[in-house]
Every structure is written in structure tokens, then in C-alpha cells.
Amino acid sequence: VSTIVVTTPFNGFYKCGGERGPGIAMLLDIARRAVGMTARHHGPHITRATSDVGVGAAPTGSVANVRLIVGFLSGHELGSLGLQAFLETLSTGMDLGPSDVAAFFSLGANIAMYGEFEGDNFGGGGSGAITTSASASPDLYELASAAMPKFTTGVVNCSAAAGDTRFICAAGYQTLALLGATNYRFHLET
């Protein structure tokens, strides 16, 4: 069984729908689809793993010899406390160290938000460009670069990673992280 982990922070400063909403929506859809596939292929099979330091429930499904673990993480703005607790839960509580996880995907801030914007943001009349970049660990770097050649800033090696990705890389997991460009509205009340 190959294990794949997908996480996203779910809170931040102020109201952060643009910052966190896309990652939450994507992760909910991934989990929903995995559960549906699991039920079709193997019957319902979900377990939960939780940590008491800012980590939401982590549904686990098994589809065609792939186990999916998702994490909705809190405490991102406080030194990634939720992620750090999640990593501890993975390695000790679930006994899933880096060699047991095929890939760890992190859905970061602003991944579907305009990095450059013109017009009326609140009235829906504006337009802009979504500027998302990716960070990948060395083993996933070439694959990620080939799969995402049009990302605005390209794929950077894990050694230059920011945010949660630096902790995932430091823990030794093979990771691919998506992160949207910051803009003048980032971390401001909307």
C-alpha cells in the first residue's frame, strides 16, 4: 500500500477566504472523491487520526492499494504548530515515517487567488493573473517541473521552500507544495 498525504492550513489572520479557501475546497474535494472511490472499490473504510494541538480529523481511505491521509491544519501563523503536531502524529501515532509515505502534498496560501489584480475586487468586476509556484523535494523535482512548466515562478528545490513546506522537507518526506504569490492584500483584513 502506498501512502499519500495531502494537507492545508485552514485558518490565518483576519478573514482569510482568499488565502485559505482554495486549499480547503481542494482538500475537501480530494477527500470526498477518495471516500467515494473507496466505497465503490472496497466498501466504506475510514479511520480517523487526531492530535490535540491544532490538527483536524485526518480521514484515511484505501483505494487500489493507495492510502490517502488528509490534514486540515491550524496554527500556521504561529510557527506551523498544527503541521508540527500532524508530523508527530504521522511518525509516532501512525508509525508513518518518510520511507512509508510516497508523497506529501501541501496546498498553501493563495493558490487560486489573483497575484496581480486590476478593477473592483468586491464587486466581481476585476481581472488578474493567478501566480502560483511549487516547491518540490529532490526526488519529485524533475517530475514536478515537467508536469507544471507554466507555473509563474517555476518549481524550486525544497531547500528554498517557505511556509509549512520547510517543516515537511526537514522531516524527510518527499513533498510537492503549491503556494500562491503574495499580493498587497495578503494578511490584511478583507
Side-chain angles (χ1 to χ4, degrees), residues 39-104:
R40 284 193 302 277
H41 294 289
H42 304 290
H45 173 73
I46 295 192
T47 58
R48 295 193 185 277
T50 60
S51 171
D52 58 2
V53 185
V55 179
T60 305
S62 177
V63 179
N65 295 323
V66 175
R67 175 173 42 190
L68 173 67
I69 300 172
V70 302
F72 295 88
L73 310 176
S74 180
H76 175 77
E77 308 297 352
L78 300 171
S80 298
L81 292 176
L83 174 67
Q84 292 184 58
F86 185 83
L87 290 169
E88 179 68 22
T89 298
L90 267 183
S91 65
T92 59
M94 299 177 78
D95 199 27
L96 292 171
S99 64
D100 303 308
V101 174
F104 194 127

